[in-house]
Amino acid sequence: MGLTSCGVLVALALIAGGYYWWGGPHERRVAQRVLDEACGGVLPSDEMRAVLGEGPFRSGRGRTGLREAYDGERQVTCAVSRRTEHHAGHPTHDASVEVSVQSVPERRGSPSAEGRAAELPRGYGVLYPEVPVELPPAALGGGWRGLFTTGEGFTNLAGRDSATTTVLLDCARGGGGLLVTVGVSDEDVTLDDPRHRAAYARIATATAAKASRTWGCDAPLGKPLRTVALPVNADEDVPLADASGTCRGVPGRGARVSRAWEGRPSGGGPVEVCVLAGGRTGTPAGAPGGEARRYRLVAYYGPYAEAERLRQQERHGRYSEEPVPGDDAPAGRLPGGGHWASATCHDGSGPALFTVRPSDATDGEAYETDGERRAPKPSAADLAYEHAALKGFAGRSAREHGCGAPKLP
């Protein structure tokens, strides 16, 4: 009887083993099918599995709220997540990857980005996924025009405790470009580990490479990424006089503006950020009791310049008495505080856009003061400093991107 029971157990074990042997390949085929079909077939399997594991996966709609493609442009969005397995016999946790791939049309010989943005229908969502600009993002390096941002303290594509990678490609033969944005969220992974940052960013670069081949872009590509820097943290300031990155060339203003949060110039990347403040060195930007005023300078290129112009047009174009980005004017004051400038770029990507905003700017939103709706009233000295800071920032950035001298307000 004991031998019979033992035989039954062995038979059950063999049956279970056979089921796993037969079922395993089937499950892998199902998981592979999810990756093959999502985002029009441009997802890189190896890089996705390096982050999500072997599956099982579920796929769904990606980034919502993006403006629909127009004028023959292509756009795909998708989200792939790892299903949490209960009683799997090994640790499991939630993780997801959200991808957006959009074609960027060639601008050379076409209407200006401002005019093109003004012709678009209003109220149909953002044009491209946004890059957080509260603090400087990290450049990808390796020959890639791209950025890496984290979810901590930011509004991020993938959400809090996550990372977003942006890659911009220039297609061959005047074929415009491709913009790839990948957001990754993994609940049990720390971004302090450079291996995880590189794995996340490689999904974006491999997606860009695959989309370039699939869509006939044939863009020049960067090198395989071995490491990716962390974006600048709130306590990583340097004396403005020692700035050597995105804040280089920006003048100080005594003790009022003496510190800088800067990124490494991104080798033609679509966004550059410089944050300025005064006060004691090492005080986190925006800390209670810290500096009275901060300034954030942002340079937008290519699709992000167009998207910011469109945002300003939709938000303020019909109401502002002064020109706003997206109008025919090359420069001016921003509604709610700050200034903007532009520069002509020679790569067919459209004019670059540069902005400076003080921390008390309202982006055009009025507020109650003594029962009346008013906007901040900067002094003449404040306005003069904004102009000087914008001139230094935009001049340095435009030169490094091969653009002409900025037209200043």
Side-chain angles (χ1 to χ4, degrees):
M1 186 70 177
L3 291 175
T4 301
S5 300
C6 181
V8 170
L9 292 175
V10 170
L12 290 174
L14 290 173
I15 291 173
Y19 175 80
Y20 176 80
W21 188 82
W22 286 106
H26 170 72
E27 291 176 349
R28 286 194 291 273
R29 286 194 298 271
V30 171
Q32 185 63 45
R33 189 180 307 126
V34 171
L35 298 180
D36 290 342
E37 294 177 354
C39 266
V42 298
L43 296 186
S45 296
D46 291 345
E47 287 77 8
M48 292 287 288
R49 291 178 183 277
V51 171
L52 294 179
E54 293 298 320
F57 304 135
R58 64 162 59 90
S59 64
R61 294 181 61 191
R63 173 85 170 186
T64 59
L66 287 178
R67 188 182 303 277
E68 293 184 4
Y70 56 93
D71 289 345
E73 294 180 29
R74 300 183 65 178
Q75 170 184 307
V76 293
T77 64
C78 64
V80 178
S81 59
R82 178 176 56 223
R83 293 181 179 179
T84 302
E85 299 178 79
H86 301 287
H87 312 295
H90 55 84
T92 64
H93 54 279
D94 292 333
S96 63
V97 177
E98 190 169 359
V99 179
S100 168
V101 184
Q102 296 170 267
S103 61
V104 179
E106 173 71 10
R107 297 290 185 265
R108 195 184 307 277
S110 63
S112 67
E114 297 97 321
R116 188 169 180 274
E119 294 174 358
L120 293 175
R122 298 174 182 270
Y124 291 89
V126 297
L127 187 59
Y128 301 106
E130 298 179 7
V131 170
V133 295
E134 287 87 350
L135 287 170
L140 285 186
W144 295 98
R145 296 177 63 195
L147 304 169
F148 183 84
T149 60
T150 61
E152 184 178 359
F154 296 117
T155 301
N156 191 277
L157 174 64
R160 187 183 173 125
D161 300 327
S162 59
T164 296
T165 306
T166 299
V167 175
L168 181 62
L169 297 182
D170 289 324
C171 297
R173 300 176 297 278
L178 290 178
L179 179 64
V180 177
T181 309
V182 173
V184 180
S185 179
D186 197 330
E187 65 176 5
D188 285 347
V189 167
T190 173
L191 292 175
D192 290 335
D193 189 331
R195 294 173 301 176
H196 295 147
R197 299 197 300 271
Y200 292 177
R202 281 195 290 264
I203 293 178
T205 56
T207 298
K210 192 169 183 179
S212 177
R213 295 190 299 268
T214 303
W215 292 8
C217 173
D218 298 326
L221 306 176
K223 300 177 181 178
L225 292 175
R226 297 182 179 274
T227 185
V228 176
L230 276 170
V232 175
N233 289 326
D235 58 355
E236 292 181 331
D237 58 295
V238 299
L240 179 55
D242 297 336
S244 59
T246 54
C247 293
R248 180 170 56 87
V250 179
R253 192 182 176 189
R256 293 180 180 225
V257 180
S258 58
R259 298 184 289 132
W261 288 258
E262 62 174 354
R264 180 167 57 88
S266 51
V271 177
E272 292 185 353
V273 179
C274 165
V275 178
L276 306 173
R280 180 172 57 84
T281 298
T283 303
E291 62 283 336
R293 174 173 290 200
R294 301 182 307 281
Y295 295 91
R296 185 173 69 247
L297 298 113
V298 185
Y300 301 93
Y301 292 91
Y304 283 98
E306 180 180 7
E308 180 62 15
R309 284 187 168 92
L310 177 59
R311 190 183 77 85
Q312 291 288 333
Q313 273 291 312
E314 290 186 330
R315 192 175 180 87
H316 308 299
R318 290 177 290 180
Y319 311 106
S320 176
E321 296 179 358
E322 299 185 22
V324 300
D327 291 336
D328 291 333
R333 291 190 62 182
L334 289 169
H339 291 83
W340 62 280
S342 63
T344 300
C345 298
H346 309 298
D347 59 359
S349 63
L353 175 66
F354 310 96
T355 63
V356 57
R357 284 188 178 277
S359 56
D360 55 4
T362 63
D363 196 23
E365 295 290 341
Y367 60 91
E368 296 290 340
T369 303
D370 299 329
E372 298 181 9
R373 301 184 70 80
R374 299 176 181 173
K377 297 291 185 181
S379 67
D382 292 334
L383 295 176
Y385 178 72
E386 289 178 13
H387 186 278
L390 183 60
K391 179 179 179 180
F393 173 77
R396 187 275 314 159
S397 184
R399 286 191 301 273
E400 294 181 354
H401 280 75
C403 302
K407 299 175 182 178
L408 300 165

